[in-house]
């Protein structure tokens, strides 16, 4: 036995598609109106979702190369912090493992080596004290970096002077790549 969703009386289904009782024609009529309203609401929600996606795509197209670079830097910094914390590393400069806030510090600064801005070999976990208040604490950073990445990679990083000219599409591709890497780190 089934229960009519409108009048709550019990009835025996005569087919799999019968959803209301047949004794009261008003039940079928009201059920039809309810179904129509639900379908209209569902269509309205789907249309709103399509509109939000279109708006998001239009906004993405309007972003400048600089806007995308800023977003990418935020994602790269999150990735670096997550990568080094999961590996059990502390601050690259002072080697502390206790700090209220972690930063992602560049060995070769963005101003002096903009081509290495998004190079993960050039960015490592730093405490906010070393990164912000000690201007990167570069002497200690320089001493500890070869042990972290290896002498060969360190030498390549220090001697890298090849300029990189990223297009907006390149930056968006890097952003997608680092987002994927970050997801992999967080979800194993």
């Amino acid at each position: 036995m089934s229960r009519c969703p409108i009048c709550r009386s019990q009835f025996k289904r005569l087919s799999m598609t019968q959803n209301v009782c047949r004794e009261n024609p008003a039940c079928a009529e009201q059920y039809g109106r309810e179904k129509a309203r639900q379908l209209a609401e569902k269509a309205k929600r789907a249309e709103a979702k399509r509109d939000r996606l279109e708006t998001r795509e239009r906004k993405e197209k309007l972003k400048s190369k600089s806007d995308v670079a800023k977003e990418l830097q935020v994602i790269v910094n999150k990735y670096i912090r997550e990568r080094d914390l999961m590996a059990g590393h502390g601050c690259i400069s002072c080697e502390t493992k206790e700090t209220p806030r972690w930063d992602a510090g560049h060995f070769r600064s963005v101003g002096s080596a903009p081509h290495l801005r998004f190079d993960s070999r050039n960015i490592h976990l730093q405490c906010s004290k070393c990164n912000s208040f000690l201007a990167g604490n570069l002497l200690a950073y320089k001493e500890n970096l070869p042990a972290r990445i290896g002498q060969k990679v360190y030498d390549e990083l220090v001697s890298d002077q090849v300029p990189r000219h990223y297009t907006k599409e390149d930056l968006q591709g890097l952003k997608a790549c680092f987002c994927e890497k970050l997801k992999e780190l967080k979800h194993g």
Side-chain angles (χ1 to χ4, degrees):
M1 294 293 267
S2 298
R3 189 172 290 278
C4 178
I6 307 301
C7 67
R8 307 301 298 158
S9 65
Q10 288 191 346
F11 69 95
K12 183 175 181 180
R13 285 183 183 223
L14 301 175
S15 72
M16 292 300 293
T17 59
Q18 181 183 354
N19 295 312
V20 294
C21 64
R22 291 186 176 216
E23 289 80 37
N24 189 350
C27 289
E29 193 176 306
Q30 186 175 347
Y31 183 77
R33 282 194 304 266
E34 284 292 317
K35 274 296 184 187
R37 184 186 58 77
Q38 289 173 356
L39 289 173
E41 283 180 8
K42 186 176 180 179
K44 190 176 180 180
R45 285 193 305 269
E47 180 67 27
K49 184 176 181 178
R50 266 193 308 278
D51 287 346
R52 285 192 306 272
L53 287 173
E54 288 173 7
T55 301
R56 186 179 303 148
E57 288 172 3
R58 282 195 310 271
K59 282 183 176 182
E60 195 67 36
K61 287 179 183 177
L62 290 174
K63 287 181 183 175
S64 68
K65 181 179 165 183
S66 174
D67 293 335
V68 177
K70 287 175 188 173
E71 291 174 355
L72 173 58
Q73 189 66 64
V74 168
I75 291 168
V76 169
N77 290 348
K78 282 181 185 177
Y79 167 73
I80 296 299
R81 286 191 297 267
E82 193 72 26
R83 176 196 70 185
D84 288 357
L85 285 171
M86 287 185 77
H89 296 304
C91 175
I92 186 81
S93 299
C94 68
E95 299 178 349
T96 185
K97 292 191 180 201
E98 298 291 325
T99 185
R101 194 183 99 215
W102 290 108
D103 291 343
H106 289 76
F107 174 60
R108 294 184 62 194
S109 71
V110 174
S112 67
H115 56 285
L116 296 174
R117 178 178 185 176
F118 308 117
D119 190 331
S120 59
R121 303 171 307 165
N122 186 46
I123 313 167
H124 296 276
L125 188 69
Q126 268 192 318
C127 64
S128 56
K129 178 183 174 190
C130 287
N131 193 37
S132 300
F133 303 113
L134 299 177
N137 198 359
L138 290 178
L139 291 176
Y141 201 141
K142 184 177 181 177
E143 289 175 15
N144 295 333
L145 187 58
R148 175 98 41 109
I149 63 174
Q151 188 63 44
K152 182 181 178 192
V153 175
Y154 174 79
D155 292 339
E156 290 172 5
L157 186 64
V158 170
S159 63
D160 188 351
Q161 296 300 326
V162 179
R164 292 162 184 80
H165 301 285
Y166 296 111
T167 64
K168 182 179 168 184
E169 291 75 25
D170 293 337
L171 294 173
Q172 288 170 330
L174 280 172
K175 183 178 165 186
C177 178
F178 274 100
C179 281
E180 189 61 35
K181 286 181 175 184
L182 186 60
K183 280 182 189 175
E184 287 174 9
L185 271 181
K186 286 185 175 182
H187 299 96

